[in-house]
Amino acid sequence: MASDAESFEDRKPQTDEARSAFTPPLGVPYPPLPDDEHPTSEFTVPEGMRTEAPAEPEGSAFAPPGSGAAGGGGESTTTGTHQLPTTPAGWPAFTPPQGIPVISLTKDVPWQDRMRTMLRMPVTERPAPERIERADESGPAVPRVLDLTLRIGEILLAGGEGAEDVEAAMFGVAHAYGLERVEPTVTFTLLSISHQPSLVDDPVTASRTVRRRGVDYTRLSAVFRLVDDITSEGITLEEAYRGLAEIRRNRHPYPSWALTVASGLLSGAASMLVGGGVTVFFAAAIGSMLGDRLAWLASGRGLPEFYQFVAAAMPPAAMGVALSMADIGVPASAVITGGLFALIPGRALVSGVQDGLTGYYITAAARLLEVGYLIVGIVIGVLGVLYIGVQVSARTLNPEQALGTYDEPVPQTIAALLLALAFCVLLQQERHTVLFATFNGGVAWVVYGVLVHAKVHPVVATVVAAGLVGLFGQLLSRYRYASALPYVTAAIGPLLPGSATYFALLNFAQGHLDPGISSLIKAVSLALAIAVGVNLGAEVARLFIKAPSGEEAATRRAAKRTRGF
C-alpha cells in the first residue's frame, strides 16, 4: 500500500514552485544576497554616466501656475507668437508633428471664437494664449481655478447652452488664469476638467454634476459677460468669484404670474397663426394658462418633468374638445394647436441637433432622448383627451381641417410677433434683447410664408427661415459679445410644427394609422429642419467675422474637426 501511495504521489503534477528554475535543489545552499535589499535593474544607469536633465522641471500638481508655456517657471523659447519649453541647451523640448502653427489669438474677436479655435486644434498644436500680465506672477492655486471653471460651465450647461460653447467657456477661463494644459469634457449631466502642469507631472482632475436645469437667459447672458471679463479684462480670481455669486443671487426678471400670462399669450397667438379668431384666441389662452398652473402644481409636488408635460397638455386639448362639442362654429384644431406650440421643446431640440453636428454625439443623444420623453408626455396628455372626445362625439373632431389653407399675411405676421414676444418672457430674457428676438421671429415667419406661397416645400422653407434666424442671432451675439440663444430660441417659435403634431395625434386617436404616421413624419421633419437651419445659419455667420491678418489659413484648418473616418 505504501508503494502504491508513493507511485501516486509521483504521478501528481508538479507545482510551479517545484518546477521553478530559481529554486535550488535539496542540499544546495541559497546564493548570498546582495549588499542592498533591492536588486539591481537592467535599466539602471551605469556608474560614471550622467543622465540628461528633463526638458521641464518637476513640480507639484497643486502648485500655482506660472507664466511659462508649461505652467512652471523654467526657461522658454519664443516661436512665432507663442512659447515652447526648452532644454538646458536652449533647444525646443518638443515640436508638433505638423510644425508650430502661426496663429495669434488676439482680443479682436469674441472669446467664443478664440476658444473654439483652440478646442478644434490638436493638443500638440495649441499655441500659448496671449494673456494680460498680472501683478501676481505666481497665479492662483490650481484647485480654485478648476472649481471656478466648473461652476461657470454648470450654469451654462443647465441654461441650455451647446456643449461646444460650454467647453469653450471653460477652456477660456482656465487659460486666463494660467492653466495651459487643460482638457474640459462636457456631457449631458457631467462636467469634468483635467489639468497637467507639465509632461512629467500627474494630472489634476475635477468634476461636477448638473442635477437641475432651468431656463433663465438673463443669468446665461450675465455668465457670458463674466467670461468675457475674465478672458479679456483680466479680472482676479476673487473678483470672478464675487461676480459669479452675484449672478446666482439675482432673481428672475419676470414673476411667475407674468410667465403664466405669457404662456396664454403664446397659445392665443399660435391659434391666430393657424386661422383662429378672437374666440379661439381667448379659448387657447385660457387652456394654456390652466395647463401652466397645473404643471406648476405638479412641479411643487415633486413630480418629474415628464408628468408635468402630461398635465400641461391636457387643459388645452380639453378646451378644444369642449368647444367642438358645443358646436358654435369654433375650430377646435386651432385651439389645440395653440396649446401645442407652448409645449413643444424647441430649445432642447435645437441644442441636441447642434451638439450632434459639432461632434458631441453622447450629449446630443442624451438631449434628443430628453426631447423624445417630453414629446411622449405631450402625446399622452393630448391623446388621452382626444380619445375621450372622439368616443363621445366622433363627428366634432375632423382631421381633414387643413390649417395650411389659412392665408392672411397681416394677421399672421402680427401673431408671429406676439408669439416670439411671449417666448422671450417665458425664457426669462433680458429686456434689451426682447425687441431683437421678436423682430427676428417676425422676419422668419415672413420668409417662410413667402416661400410656401411660392410653392416651395415646407421643409425647405423651414430650413431657409431657420437659417436666417441662426444667421441674425449669431451676428447679434457677436456684436454684443453674448450668447446667441436669447436671439435664436424665441425667434423659432412661429416655425414650430404644432399643426402637424396635432393632426398626427388626432388620427391616432381615431385609429387612422397611415395618415397619423404621415403627419408625424412631417412634424419630425419640420423640427429637424428648424434645428439644422439654425446651426447652418450660425456657421455661415462665422464666415462674416474677419480674422486678423495672417491667421486665415490656420483658423479655417482648425475648424475642420474630422473627416468621418
Side-chain angles (χ1 to χ4, degrees), residues 521-536:
I521 292 176
K522 180 181 178 181
V524 173
S525 301
L526 292 174
L528 293 178
I530 293 173
V532 172
V534 169
N535 182 265
L536 182 62

Side-chain angles (χ1 to χ4, degrees), residues 87-471:
T87 61
W91 298 98
F94 61 90
T95 302
Q98 304 298 331
I100 306 299
V102 180
I103 178 172
S104 176
L105 299 177
T106 62
K107 306 300 186 293
D108 298 334
V109 294
W111 63 265
Q112 300 100 305
D113 295 325
R114 289 185 278 120
M115 294 303 109
R116 186 180 290 107
T117 301
M118 294 280 287
L119 282 174
R120 291 180 176 181
M121 297 179 68
V123 178
T124 57
E125 298 184 14
R126 291 175 182 170
E130 299 177 0
R131 297 188 301 269
I132 297 177
E133 296 296 334
R134 295 181 174 85
D136 185 9
E137 291 295 334
S138 61
V142 170
R144 297 199 66 197
V145 175
L146 298 183
D147 177 71
L148 176 66
T149 303
L150 290 173
R151 291 178 183 273
I152 290 177
E154 178 189 10
I155 297 179
L156 293 177
L157 185 62
E161 195 65 59
E164 187 178 33
D165 289 330
V166 175
E167 282 195 3
M170 296 172 63
F171 203 80
V173 172
H175 268 249
Y177 290 113
L179 307 186
E180 295 175 5
R181 288 193 180 93
V182 292
E183 283 298 327
T185 304
V186 176
T187 59
F188 185 59
T189 57
L190 181 65
L191 297 168
S192 64
I193 184 169
S194 179
H195 165 62
Q196 188 174 10
S198 66
L199 295 177
V200 296
D201 288 325
D202 295 331
V204 182
T205 303
S207 62
R208 195 172 183 89
T209 303
V210 179
R211 303 188 182 277
R212 296 188 60 184
R213 300 178 182 272
V215 181
D216 189 345
Y217 283 179
T218 299
R219 179 175 297 180
L220 196 69
S221 300
V223 174
F224 263 71
R225 288 192 295 269
L226 176 62
V227 175
D228 183 59
D229 292 339
I230 293 173
T231 57
S232 302
E233 303 298 331
I235 64 175
T236 64
L237 187 66
E238 298 300 330
E239 293 173 343
Y241 264 110
R242 285 196 295 267
L244 188 61
E246 292 177 0
I247 292 173
R248 289 183 176 275
R249 284 196 300 265
N250 288 341
R251 299 177 61 87
H252 299 303
Y254 306 105
S256 59
W257 64 266
L259 300 181
T260 301
V261 174
S263 177
L265 178 62
L266 189 153
S267 296
S271 65
M272 290 179 58
L273 201 65
V274 294
V278 178
T279 304
V280 173
F281 177 89
F282 285 103
I286 293 174
S288 182
M289 287 190 290
L290 290 176
D292 181 76
R293 287 291 92 190
L294 192 59
W296 275 102
L297 179 62
S299 176
R301 296 293 182 181
L303 291 178
E305 194 174 14
F306 174 84
Y307 300 104
Q308 298 175 29
F309 270 76
V310 173
M314 296 177 68
M319 185 68 68
V321 171
L323 291 177
S324 180
M325 294 176 62
D327 198 13
I328 59 177
V330 176
S333 56
V335 177
I336 301 176
T337 300
L340 290 175
F341 266 87
L343 296 175
I344 296 177
R347 173 182 59 87
L349 176 65
V350 171
S351 299
V353 174
Q354 179 182 356
D355 288 341
L357 294 177
T358 52
Y360 295 84
Y361 301 114
I362 296 178
T363 307
R367 288 185 188 271
L368 294 178
L369 183 62
E370 180 192 31
V371 171
Y373 270 102
L374 298 182
I375 291 179
V376 169
I378 298 172
V379 168
I380 292 176
V382 176
L383 197 59
V385 176
L386 289 181
Y387 181 79
I388 295 175
V390 169
Q391 296 301 319
V392 174
S393 180
R395 64 178 181 84
T396 59
L397 295 173
N398 183 15
E400 299 299 329
Q401 295 176 350
L403 297 178
T405 59
Y406 179 70
D407 187 11
E408 293 291 338
V410 176
Q412 286 181 307
T413 302
I414 296 175
L417 293 172
L418 291 177
L419 193 151
L421 175 64
F423 256 123
C424 291
V425 177
L426 290 175
L427 295 172
Q428 301 279 6
Q429 293 189 193
E430 293 179 302
R431 289 177 172 83
H432 67 83
T433 65
V434 171
L435 180 61
F436 295 100
T438 303
F439 179 75
N440 202 7
V443 171
W445 176 257
V446 170
V447 172
Y448 172 81
V450 170
L451 293 177
V452 171
H453 186 73
K455 306 303 181 181
V456 178
H457 195 276
V459 175
V460 178
T462 302
V463 171
V464 175
L468 290 177
V469 169
L471 174 63

Side-chain angles (χ1 to χ4, degrees), residues 529-560:
I530 293 173
V532 172
V534 169
N535 182 265
L536 182 62
E539 294 298 330
V540 172
R542 296 190 180 102
L543 298 178
F544 291 91
I545 301 174
K546 184 178 180 181
S549 60
E551 62 175 270
E552 179 72 17
T555 302
R556 294 294 173 259
R557 180 177 59 84
K560 187 169 58 177

